[in-house]
């Protein structure tokens, strides 16, 4: 609905016949072209990146996210931005890794990971495994010495900060790259209940 309204507004703006209004429009566009903030806003609006979805059947509410950290990161219904992580000493795009026709569960170790947190995250991963090929898993570890070879590294916590993560947490990214659910601290039952609700299993 929003895309259609924006498109209609642009078409009407581009088809102005009155020379006075057309000149005024061109002047406004020229002035706006010099504002970096306005350019960013226009790009986000035209690309659809600023569209968010309200809680509903495919978007959880945000009650499972630590209240202190709720203003940070990406709430359910929003589209996450990129962060850089490392795999085999190569810097990679976390957003690119999340792109998939499946649900992508992104596990975060937390800013001060201890190995007992691995058990908590392991329980979440186990729930995801119960849904077969519907969910794939990405794990992000802050610091050095991850608990296994399949973890992406976030040595400076930049990805944790970008996603508003302090404690062990997870994001469930939908196939359309929007956040369906997030939980901090990570709770396996939260993931199970939500996935069971949308799959009917």
């Amino acid at each position: 609905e929003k895309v259609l309204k924006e498109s209609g507004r642009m078409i009407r703006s581009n088809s102005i016949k009155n020379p006075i209004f057309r000149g005024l429009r061109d002047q406004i566009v020229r002035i706006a072209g010099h504002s970096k903030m306005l350019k960013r806003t226009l790009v986000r609006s035209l690309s659809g990146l600023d569209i968010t979805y309200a809680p509903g059947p495919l978007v959880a509410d945000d009650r499972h996210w630590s209240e202190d950290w709720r203003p940070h990161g990406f709430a359910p219904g929003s589209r996450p931005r990129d962060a850089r992580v490392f795999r085999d000493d190569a810097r990679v795009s976390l957003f690119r890794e999340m792109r998939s026709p499946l649900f992508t569960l992104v596990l975060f170790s937390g800013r001060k990971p201890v190995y007992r947190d691995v058990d908590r995250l392991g329980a979440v991963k186990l729930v995801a495994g119960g849904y077969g090929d519907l969910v794939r898993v990405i794990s992000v570890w802050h610091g050095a010495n991850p608990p296994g070879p399949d973890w992406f590294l976030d040595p400076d916590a930049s990805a944790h900060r970008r996603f508003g993560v302090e404690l062990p947490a997870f994001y469930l990214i939908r196939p359309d790259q929007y956040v369906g659910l997030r939980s901090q601290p990570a709770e396996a039952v939260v993931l199970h209940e939500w996935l069971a609700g949308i799959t009917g299993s």
Side-chain angles (χ1 to χ4, degrees):
E1 186 180 348
K2 182 175 180 182
V3 169
L4 288 173
K5 282 181 181 174
E6 294 288 338
S7 300
R9 197 174 295 128
M10 286 172 56
I11 289 167
R12 285 192 298 278
S13 171
N14 287 330
S15 59
I16 293 173
K17 290 188 169 55
N18 185 309
I20 295 171
F21 288 124
R22 201 165 51 229
L24 183 61
R25 176 204 63 200
D26 294 346
Q27 186 66 26
I28 290 169
V29 169
R30 267 194 294 279
I31 292 168
H34 294 293
S35 167
K36 286 183 181 176
M37 190 173 93
L38 192 53
K39 274 197 236 180
R40 275 198 303 270
T41 301
L42 282 171
V43 166
R44 287 170 60 87
S45 178
L46 292 172
S47 65
L49 292 177
D50 65 339
I51 293 174
T52 58
Y53 297 98
L58 294 177
V59 176
D61 59 39
D62 212 14
R63 71 178 183 271
H64 305 295
W65 198 252
S66 170
E67 200 167 331
D68 293 341
W69 289 87
R70 207 164 285 163
H72 306 285
F74 308 103
S78 66
R79 189 177 173 96
R81 305 295 178 259
D82 199 12
R84 298 292 172 168
V85 291
F86 289 84
R87 167 63 71 81
D88 299 326
D89 296 325
R91 201 169 182 219
V92 296
S93 159
L94 184 57
F95 187 78
R96 185 166 291 179
E97 295 294 327
M98 292 187 301
R99 289 174 64 182
S100 169
L102 309 173
F103 283 93
T104 301
L105 177 68
V106 186
L107 302 173
F108 287 92
S109 66
R111 298 280 295 276
K112 296 176 181 174
V114 294
Y115 282 98
R116 70 171 174 270
D117 294 332
V118 176
D119 293 335
R120 174 188 286 267
L121 295 172
V124 177
K125 189 174 180 178
L126 198 60
V127 166
Y131 287 86
D133 293 336
L134 182 66
V135 184
R136 56 191 287 270
V137 181
I138 293 173
S139 305
V140 180
W141 183 266
H142 169 55
N145 305 315
D150 56 339
W151 289 75
F152 288 92
L153 294 181
D154 183 22
D156 60 358
S158 58
H160 278 69
R161 282 194 301 275
R162 193 81 193 261
F163 280 76
V165 173
E166 178 69 15
L167 308 170
F170 73 77
Y171 276 78
L172 187 66
I173 310 298
R174 304 186 321 191
D176 64 356
Q177 305 308 300
Y178 279 78
V179 178
L181 169 71
R182 65 179 183 170
S183 177
Q184 179 175 209
E187 296 291 350
V189 67
V190 169
L191 179 64
H192 173 66
E193 286 175 356
W194 196 76
L195 285 173
I198 64 166
T199 60
S201 58

